[in-house]
């Protein structure tokens, strides 16, 4: 089974690349990550596209789950209001074929992939066995081809269809209805413009495509007309006691009447009136299309510069401070774009504010300490009186030396003399030869 994204009508190579970058490489991933209204809204913001476009992709992917479903048939089924396999299992075959033929540019089934009655019946029988993989948007109504089958079944079974009365809950403020139609036309034109811009950007990135001279086609809705069958009701708010408050402004309420719904549910109401609307494109005001000359902001303060820019429809961008480029503090010394440059309405202008050089602080002269006066010489202290020298003590007289005692005379010892002589003689005797 081919699960590539490019088989979904409205997804080309460029969008496929963006979806892959968001983690959606194939149809099952698309149904998983964009299966709810909240997820589709988040994805639309990332891709910068309309949520309704993504919802159309998801419904096609849901129908492509049916075996044998082709991309052309899935696209046509979505365009006649089939939202998922549950709707497909309940369609009226004859009415579906008639509505699909009215959408086709040609009656040749081979060119547009138009299904035969047998093919559509087979797809319907297969859808009966399947469970929806996505959730429907709350404001996406049930298709007429599904309601038609419900009516046929009820009549065949002999049952009675419910009779609905049109009450206040079915009426809407006329201004809201007209505004909703206008917003839908504007969103459709915006989607066409964004698609053309995206296509041209991809061409500009490819040198080969540019060499061939290719350019994106731009589509416009030159005129949109709407004829609505409406039931009107004039309403005015009442007080808690049920009395009408004449001071309150009344409102004209309308209820759009759809022939299929009226026939299906046998809505009982008065003969409706018709409301004819025509929406025509107008050129944008020249204020938004003509370029503006940037005013000269030199010498202005930041507040004055902002007022000057507001006066011509421009915005004040970032500002910076630079020291030493101006004698006045906080005035504009330069700007981007330069004065006289042509810019678009609401463009931003950046400014540079000058701040004078701070004056150098004077160097304080050092304070000289006073020279202290010389202290007077201290008065000399009086010399103390000399202490009296002690008188020398008288030297003692020397003692007379004692006279030496006479040595006693010893008597001669003859024996000692003899021995001395004998020793002397022994010393002088010659040695024998």
């Amino acid at each position: 089974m081919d699960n590539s994204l490019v088989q979904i009508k409205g997804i080309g190579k460029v969008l496929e690349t963006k979806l892959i970058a968001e983690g959606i490489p194939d149809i099952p991933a698309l149904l998983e990550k964009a299966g709810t209204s909240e997820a589709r809204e988040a994805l639309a913001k990332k891709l910068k596209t309309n949520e309704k476009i993504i919802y159309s992709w998801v419904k096609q992917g849901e129908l492509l789950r049916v075996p044998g479903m082709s991309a052309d048939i899935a696209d046509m089924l979505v365009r006649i209001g089939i939202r998922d396999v549950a709707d497909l299992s309940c369609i009226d075959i004859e009415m579906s074929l008639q509505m699909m033929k009215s959408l086709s540019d040609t009656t040749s089934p081979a060119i547009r992939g138009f299904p035969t009655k047998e093919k559509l019946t087979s797809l319907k029988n297969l859808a009966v066995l399947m469970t929806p993989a996505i959730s429907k948007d709350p404001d996406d109504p049930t298709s007429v081809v599904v309601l038609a089958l419900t009516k046929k079944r009820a009549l065949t079974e002999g049952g009675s269809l419910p009779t609905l009365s049109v009450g206040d809950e079915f009426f809407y403020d006329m201004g809201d209805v007209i505004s909703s139609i206008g917003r839908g036309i504007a969103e459709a034109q915006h989607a066409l413009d964004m698609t053309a811009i995206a296509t041209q950007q991809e061409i500009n990135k490819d040198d080969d495509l540019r060499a061939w001279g290719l350019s994106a086609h731009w589509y416009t809705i030159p005129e949109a007309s709407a004829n609505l069958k409406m039931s009107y009701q004039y309403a005015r708010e009442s007080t808690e006691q049920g009395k009408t408050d004449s001071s309150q402004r009344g409102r004209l309420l309308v209820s759009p009447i759809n022939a299929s719904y009226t026939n299906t549910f046998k809505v009982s109401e008065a003969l409706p009136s018709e409301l004819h609307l025509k929406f025509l494109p107008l050129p944008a005001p020249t204020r938004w299309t003509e370029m503006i000359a940037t005013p000269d902001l030199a010498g202005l303060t930041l507040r004055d510069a902002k007022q000057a820019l507001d006066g011509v429809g421009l915005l004040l961008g970032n500002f910076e401070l630079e020291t030493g480029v101006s004698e006045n503090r906080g005035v504009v010394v330069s700007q981007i774009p330069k004065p006289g440059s042509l810019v678009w309405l609401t463009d931003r202008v950046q400014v540079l504010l000058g701040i004078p050089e701070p004056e150098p602080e004077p160097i304080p002269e050092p304070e000289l300490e006073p020279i202290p006066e010389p202290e007077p010489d201290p008065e000399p202290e009086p010399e103390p009186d000399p202490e009296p020298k002690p008188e020398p003590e008288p030297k003692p007289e020397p003692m007379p030396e004692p006279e030496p005692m006479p040595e006693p005379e010893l008597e001669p010892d003859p024996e000692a003399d003899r021995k001395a002589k004998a020793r002397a003689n022994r010393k002088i005797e010659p040695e024998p030869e």
Side-chain angles (χ1 to χ4, degrees):
M1 180 178 178
D2 184 12
N3 287 323
S4 62
L5 294 170
V6 291
Q7 63 178 318
I8 295 178
K9 300 296 182 181
I11 298 181
K13 289 295 184 180
V14 175
L15 288 173
E16 182 186 31
T17 303
K18 293 182 179 181
L19 289 169
I20 292 175
E22 296 296 335
I24 304 177
D26 50 25
I27 292 177
L30 176 65
L31 301 181
E32 178 183 355
K33 296 192 175 183
T36 64
S37 299
E38 295 77 9
R40 290 190 285 271
E41 182 179 0
L43 182 59
K45 292 180 179 179
K46 293 180 180 179
L47 298 181
K48 297 181 179 179
T49 187
N50 193 297
E51 182 184 352
K52 298 298 182 183
I53 296 177
I54 296 180
Y55 186 33
S56 174
W57 300 346
V58 171
K59 289 188 288 187
Q60 291 182 58
E62 163 74 359
L63 296 178
L64 285 171
R65 295 172 52 225
V66 181
M69 180 70 71
S70 67
D72 290 329
I73 298 176
D75 176 48
M76 285 186 283
L77 287 172
V78 170
R79 293 170 66 185
I80 66 172
I82 305 304
R83 301 165 295 184
D84 55 14
V85 293
D87 282 356
L88 179 59
S89 66
C90 300
I91 63 172
D92 182 279
I93 298 295
E94 296 294 340
M95 183 177 289
S96 298
L97 289 173
Q98 290 178 5
M99 294 185 66
M100 293 168 72
K101 283 182 180 179
S102 66
L103 295 174
S104 178
D105 296 334
T106 175
T107 58
S108 173
I111 296 177
R112 298 289 298 174
F114 196 87
T116 62
K117 183 177 180 179
E118 292 75 15
K119 178 66 174 179
L120 192 58
T121 303
S122 174
L123 295 174
K124 174 183 175 180
N125 294 335
L126 291 172
V128 174
L129 307 176
M130 303 178 67
T131 303
I134 64 171
S135 63
K136 307 167 187 174
D137 279 356
D139 58 348
D140 191 6
T142 305
S143 174
V144 175
V145 296
V146 177
L147 294 174
L149 182 64
T150 304
K151 176 183 176 182
K152 286 184 179 180
R153 288 177 177 174
L155 294 176
T156 303
E157 297 171 1
S160 59
L161 293 174
T163 300
L164 303 180
S165 61
V166 181
D168 293 343
E169 64 271 15
F170 293 99
F171 282 82
Y172 305 91
D173 189 283
M174 177 181 282
D176 294 339
V177 174
I178 297 175
S179 298
S180 178
I181 297 174
R183 284 194 300 269
I185 297 173
E187 290 175 358
Q189 182 63 65
H190 177 71
L192 293 174
D193 294 340
M194 296 305 297
T195 302
I197 292 173
T199 303
Q200 187 62 52
Q201 289 176 342
E202 293 301 321
I203 292 175
N204 294 342
K205 294 178 183 178
D206 194 317
D207 294 337
D208 294 335
L209 295 179
R210 293 177 62 185
W212 281 96
L214 297 180
S215 61
H217 289 287
W218 291 79
Y219 300 92
T220 184
I221 303 176
E223 181 178 317
S225 300
N227 295 328
L228 305 178
K229 291 185 177 182
M230 316 289 289
S231 177
Y232 298 90
Q233 179 178 1
Y234 184 78
R236 179 177 289 173
E237 296 183 5
S238 59
T239 62
E240 295 180 355
Q241 291 77 17
K243 297 181 180 180
T244 303
D245 187 359
S246 59
S247 63
Q248 295 293 331
R249 186 178 178 183
R251 294 187 302 157
L252 184 62
L253 305 180
V254 296
S255 177
I257 304 302
N258 181 288
S260 299
Y261 277 83
T262 303
N263 295 332
T264 301
F265 296 109
K266 295 182 180 179
V267 177
S268 175
E269 58 171 315
L271 183 65
S273 302
E274 292 187 358
L275 177 64
H276 301 278
L277 302 175
K278 181 178 287 188
F279 296 86
L280 299 175
L282 295 176
T286 55
R287 180 175 176 81
W288 291 91
T289 56
E290 293 181 353
M291 303 194 76
I292 305 169
T294 307
D296 188 358
L297 306 177
L300 300 181
T301 63
L302 189 62
R303 176 179 297 179
D304 294 339
K306 185 178 184 304
Q307 292 178 353
L309 293 173
D310 291 342
V312 296
L314 300 178
L315 301 177
L316 179 63
N318 299 330
F319 64 91
E320 298 180 358
L321 302 176
E322 186 171 345
T323 304
V325 295
S326 173
E327 296 180 357
N328 299 322
R329 181 177 182 83
V331 298
V332 178
V333 295
S334 64
Q335 63 187 72
I336 300 175
K338 296 181 179 180
S341 301
L342 295 180
V343 295
W344 296 106
L345 188 70
T346 69
D347 278 359
R348 295 183 177 273
V349 178
Q350 302 178 10
V351 297
L352 177 66
L353 302 178
I355 299 178
E357 288 280 0
E359 296 182 359
E361 297 181 358
I363 301 175
E365 296 181 359
E367 295 181 359
L368 299 178
E369 296 182 358
I371 300 175
E373 296 181 359
E375 297 181 358
D377 294 336
E379 296 181 359
E381 296 182 359
E383 295 182 0
D385 295 336
E387 295 181 0
K389 296 181 179 180
E391 295 181 0
E393 294 182 0
K395 294 182 179 180
E397 296 181 357
M399 295 294 292
E401 295 182 1
E403 297 181 358
M405 295 293 293
E407 293 182 1
E409 297 181 358
L410 296 177
E411 295 181 359
D413 187 356
E415 185 62 25
D417 293 338
R418 187 184 61 78
K419 290 181 180 180
K421 292 180 178 181
R423 287 193 299 269
N425 292 330
R426 282 196 300 272
K427 293 181 180 180
I428 62 174
E429 287 181 0
E431 293 182 2
E433 296 179 358

